[in-house]
Amino acid sequence: MPPAPRYRRVLLKLSGEGLMGDREYGLDPGMVGMVAQEIKTVHEMGVQVCLVIGGGNIFRGVSAAASGMDRASGDYMGMLATVINSLAMQSALERQGLQTRVQSAIPMTTVCEPYIRRRAVRHMEKGRVVIFAAGTGNPFFTTDTAAALRAAEMSVDAMLKGTQVDGVYSADPRKDKAAKRYDTLTYMDVLSRDLQVMDASAISLARENRIPIIVFDIHKPGAFAQTMAGQGTFTVIKDEG
């Protein structure tokens, strides 16, 4: 009998880079499949799950803008990259037997649904996993901000950020062996210490809507389910008290 989850409905934010595995570009099918298995385990605990996936494994608008491309055009291209990742994750989840819907902030009805808040909520109530693609649909906003926005709109109990380390550190633990890991932080701690968990807009939006942010290692087998049960290693970002 799996442990009871602490949360009824959650949004999982994944970076595009987290789906690359050992590749330098694109998607690693094995990594996508592993993440899909983690999501299935949590879904079977009775948790309603929705996702936002970045597109940095395919295209980064900010990097393109630094090379001279128009920033808005680069961001739209990045949004299309998130749709590619979302469709790949949908396929992997459906191979696990989960019913899944992709909703895009940029309408493209040939391949997925347009984003409609009430429909997304209904999908989750029916036990479907919903993947929100194309960010907010606007340039100059990151997928972190899109995740915080969708988390607020879906009235989730928590927003989880699946990373490549087991929480928030004072520095990159892969480069600095003296980096300190935090068990808990406040939103203001993250902003004032510039901890680079998510961009400031996303942190502020989560703070305004009192949505706790939980940072954990998505690549550790079983970590997502353990985090849902309040077990394992992770960092919780929330208001004091």
Side-chain angles (χ1 to χ4, degrees), residues 71 136 138-152 159 161 187-188 190-192 194 196-211 213:
R71 171 65 189 274
T136 66
N138 301 287
F140 304 101
F141 290 93
T142 67
T143 51
D144 280 347
T145 300
L149 175 62
R150 298 291 182 248
M159 176 167 58
K161 181 160 187 181
Y187 303 108
M188 289 307 299
V190 175
L191 294 172
S192 63
D194 193 25
Q196 305 294 314
V197 180
M198 290 181 154
D199 63 71
S201 297
I203 297 294
S204 297
L205 192 54
R207 181 189 181 205
E208 288 169 12
N209 291 279
R210 306 182 71 84
I211 301 169
I213 302 170

Side-chain angles (χ1 to χ4, degrees), residues 172-192:
D172 188 340
R174 294 169 295 183
K175 299 177 181 177
D176 184 354
K177 298 299 183 184
K180 174 186 176 183
R181 193 184 69 80
Y182 302 101
D183 288 325
T184 59
L185 290 163
T186 67
Y187 303 108
M188 289 307 299
D189 287 337
V190 175
L191 294 172
S192 63

Side-chain angles (χ1 to χ4, degrees), residues 86-98:
S86 297
L87 293 174
M89 183 58 69
Q90 178 184 38
S91 178
L93 288 168
E94 290 182 342
R95 284 198 300 273
Q96 296 287 343
L98 298 181

Side-chain angles (χ1 to χ4, degrees), residues 2-8 10 42 44-48 225 227-230:
R6 287 189 171 187
Y7 307 103
R8 180 183 61 87
V10 298
V42 168
E44 290 176 342
M45 295 168 68
V47 179
Q48 296 177 14
T227 302
M228 284 294 91

Side-chain angles (χ1 to χ4, degrees), residues 2-220:
R6 287 189 171 187
Y7 307 103
R8 180 183 61 87
R9 178 183 295 167
V10 298
L11 183 142
L12 174 62
K13 168 62 171 65
L14 300 171
S15 68
E17 291 89 343
L19 301 179
M20 288 194 302
D22 295 328
R23 301 185 179 195
E24 296 182 1
Y25 172 85
L27 291 161
D28 178 348
M31 185 62 67
V32 176
M34 186 276 285
V35 174
Q37 178 62 56
E38 295 290 300
I39 294 168
K40 179 183 180 181
T41 301
V42 168
H43 184 270
E44 290 176 342
M45 295 168 68
V47 179
Q48 296 177 14
V49 182
C50 53
L51 288 80
V52 170
I53 307 174
N57 57 318
I58 299 172
F59 191 88
R60 277 191 171 278
V62 173
S63 300
S67 302
M69 178 179 286
D70 175 70
R71 171 65 189 274
S73 295
D75 281 354
Y76 281 121
M77 293 171 71
M79 291 178 218
L80 297 180
T82 72
V83 177
I84 293 172
N85 286 340
S86 297
L87 293 174
M89 183 58 69
Q90 178 184 38
S91 178
L93 288 168
E94 290 182 342
R95 284 198 300 273
Q96 296 287 343
L98 298 181
Q99 289 193 339
T100 311
R101 297 291 186 274
V102 175
Q103 291 197 347
S104 172
I106 299 175
M108 47 185 79
T109 52
T110 303
V111 296
C112 60
E113 296 180 0
Y115 171 67
I116 300 173
R117 185 185 68 84
R118 291 172 67 90
R119 181 180 289 177
V121 171
R122 188 66 179 135
H123 283 322
M124 284 190 286
E125 289 173 347
K126 288 183 175 181
R128 298 167 184 152
V129 176
V130 181
I131 307 172
F132 300 115
T136 66
N138 301 287
F140 304 101
F141 290 93
T142 67
T143 51
D144 280 347
T145 300
L149 175 62
R150 298 291 182 248
E153 290 180 297
M154 295 300 108
S155 300
V156 302
D157 301 314
M159 176 167 58
L160 285 91
K161 181 160 187 181
T163 68
Q164 300 179 60
V165 291
D166 59 354
V168 181
Y169 285 77
S170 57
D172 188 340
R174 294 169 295 183
K175 299 177 181 177
D176 184 354
K177 298 299 183 184
K180 174 186 176 183
R181 193 184 69 80
Y182 302 101
D183 288 325
T184 59
L185 290 163
T186 67
Y187 303 108
M188 289 307 299
D189 287 337
V190 175
L191 294 172
S192 63
R193 300 177 194 176
D194 193 25
L195 291 176
Q196 305 294 314
V197 180
M198 290 181 154
D199 63 71
S201 297
I203 297 294
S204 297
L205 192 54
R207 181 189 181 205
E208 288 169 12
N209 291 279
R210 306 182 71 84
I211 301 169
I213 302 170
I214 303 172
V215 182
F216 73 106
D217 184 355
I218 189 63
H219 295 151
K220 179 182 177 183

